[in-house]
Amino acid sequence: MISCRAPGKLFIAGEYAVVEPGHRAVLTAVDRYATATVIPAAATTLRSDLDGGITLTCRRHGDGLAPDTEDGTVPRAFAYVFAAARILDRLCAERGVETNPYDLEVRAELGDADGRKFGLGSSAAVTVATVDALGRFHGLGLNTMDRYRLAMLATLEVNPKASGGDIAVSTWGGWLAYASPDRTHVAELAAAEGIEAALRSPWPGLSVRPLRTPTELALQVGWTGTPASTPALVAGLGDRQQRPSERAHFLLRSDDCVERLVTAIESADAAAICAEIDCARQLLLDLDAGTGLGIMTERLHALCAAGAAVGAAAKPSGAGGGDCGIALIDRTRDTAITALTERWIGAGIRPLPLRTHPFEGDSQ
């Protein structure tokens, strides 16, 4: 039996800019996980606890893997898992590696007990865990960048506009500075030259830089109770596109903010880190005002206001429209942290007890 897990994520800064190739974001991995477990079997079967627990049997179709369903389609809950399995299958074929059937079970603990997602990147974590487990099962000897790239290729089959920031931080863990690749180029490369070529060729725009964990600050996370769809919000940005000059100005301001944030993190400058979190929040407010996307909900406004009231830097994490927000505050200010928690609860916001994965001093 082979079992691999991948952590969830939180965006710290750079949302809506990182969807453009070469533009940057900072993220952190958190200690909620997706786990993929694979064992040899008589037939290839995918199992998931998503959507109440379902099973998908796969079959060989020519040289590839296909869903054994009446209409030949993949159930929505298996979209990312199946895409990952198929990408690994294609890589095995290119390398001449014989594939044996398996039973793959995927479980995720990235949402509430009633199935509502917290916005912690469950799709990315599921994809990364699946790639890792199947890579080990097939004996492919994948390194960290290989796993990211394979998970990204699988993700692009489902969501071509995905930035991949969540994929990257679920792969590397910790705090991460990330710039997204040219996904159109990457997808075309894989289609024209194969998966192996896509692993070995440059990906224009891609940058991954692990950062130190800013242990001088406490990262507090609040859930609004309302799930949001990142793909839908990102697609909405395209539908309500800013004028080119406005978009360019937003991207420039966002990249400058992220660059200053990275410098502040690396130099352990807590005050500067908090200043850039406030800057990132203002960028989202301005973007929302200019596009009407609905990034800032009533509870996200309340989350940020509660942070300001106790001297914390707070903002939405990710695409907004619900899901989570974050606050960064001096770790030694216990009274203020307690007050923040109480204000959030009073506003209908649920504090989530999350830590960075791996936590400072923990092993992977």
Side-chain angles (χ1 to χ4, degrees):
M1 181 179 75
I2 295 171
S3 187
C4 299
R5 70 177 188 175
K9 60 78 187 171
L10 287 167
F11 266 93
I12 303 300
E15 303 94 335
Y16 287 102
V18 74
V19 297
E20 300 283 353
H23 292 277
R24 304 173 69 195
V26 171
L27 307 94
T28 185
V30 296
D31 60 344
R32 289 290 187 99
Y33 302 95
T35 303
T37 302
V38 59
I39 59 174
T44 294
T45 304
L46 311 180
R47 306 179 191 276
S48 172
D49 67 347
L50 306 175
D51 288 358
I54 53 177
T55 299
L56 174 66
T57 301
C58 301
R59 57 183 172 82
R60 306 304 305 181
H61 181 70
D63 294 332
L65 203 61
D68 193 9
T69 56
E70 288 186 6
D71 58 4
T73 62
V74 178
R76 181 177 60 86
F78 279 116
Y80 290 93
V81 176
F82 180 78
R86 186 165 58 182
I87 288 290
L88 269 292
D89 191 76
R90 287 174 58 189
L91 180 60
C92 287
E94 291 178 16
R95 291 185 176 182
V97 174
E98 182 179 357
T99 56
N100 296 311
Y102 53 83
D103 187 291
L104 174 73
E105 181 180 24
V106 176
R107 305 185 66 84
E109 52 177 56
L110 292 138
D112 204 10
D114 62 7
R116 289 181 297 170
K117 296 180 180 180
F118 291 147
L120 300 178
S122 58
S123 297
V126 161
T127 308
V128 170
T130 298
V131 166
D132 195 1
L134 290 180
R136 293 171 189 263
F137 179 77
H138 295 310
L140 295 175
L142 304 175
N143 62 32
T144 306
M145 181 59 80
D146 292 337
R147 296 198 305 275
Y148 159 79
R149 290 191 177 204
L150 290 166
M152 189 64 182
L153 290 170
T155 297
L156 293 178
E157 291 196 355
V158 182
N159 178 15
K161 294 185 178 181
S163 73
D166 49 1
I167 293 286
V169 80
S170 286
T171 302
W172 271 272
W175 283 59
L176 202 71
Y178 173 81
S180 60
D182 183 333
R183 279 90 74 199
T184 300
H185 170 84
V186 166
E188 290 175 348
L189 174 65
E193 300 185 29
I195 305 303
E196 188 72 66
L199 291 182
R200 305 301 162 221
S201 300
W203 283 23
L206 175 64
S207 174
V208 181
R209 178 183 170 188
L211 304 172
R212 61 174 290 276
T213 297
T215 54
E216 60 278 0
L217 293 168
L219 174 64
Q220 303 296 300
V221 184
W223 182 48
T224 65
T226 304
S229 170
T230 296
L233 283 159
V234 171
L237 180 62
D239 295 338
R240 308 181 191 194
Q241 188 60 274
Q242 303 155 288
R243 290 194 298 269
S245 60
E246 293 174 339
R247 183 64 178 163
H249 185 55
F250 169 76
L251 293 174
L252 178 62
R253 291 173 65 202
S254 181
D255 281 348
D256 285 347
C257 174
V258 169
E259 183 175 355
R260 293 191 303 268
L261 176 60
V262 169
T263 299
I265 291 170
E266 293 290 73
S267 59
D269 188 338
I273 292 171
C274 290
E276 297 312 323
I277 297 301
D278 287 336
C279 174
R281 181 189 67 250
Q282 189 60 52
L283 284 168
L284 292 177
L285 286 168
D286 293 346
L287 180 64
D288 206 17
T291 61
L293 278 173
I295 296 169
M296 295 296 296
T297 65
E298 181 178 343
R299 283 187 178 174
L300 284 173
H301 277 297
L303 182 148
C304 294
V310 301
K315 63 178 288 293
S317 175
D323 284 339
C324 289
I326 60 171
L328 287 164
I329 186 168
D330 185 329
R331 185 175 295 280
T332 65
R333 298 184 61 212
D334 294 338
T335 301
I337 293 171
T338 299
L340 175 64
T341 298
E342 292 172 349
R343 286 174 178 268
W344 278 357
I345 292 172
I349 297 161
R350 176 176 163 185
L352 297 179
L354 301 176
R355 300 196 312 170
T356 298
H357 166 89
F359 190 69
E360 193 84 352
D362 288 354
S363 62
Q364 288 270 18

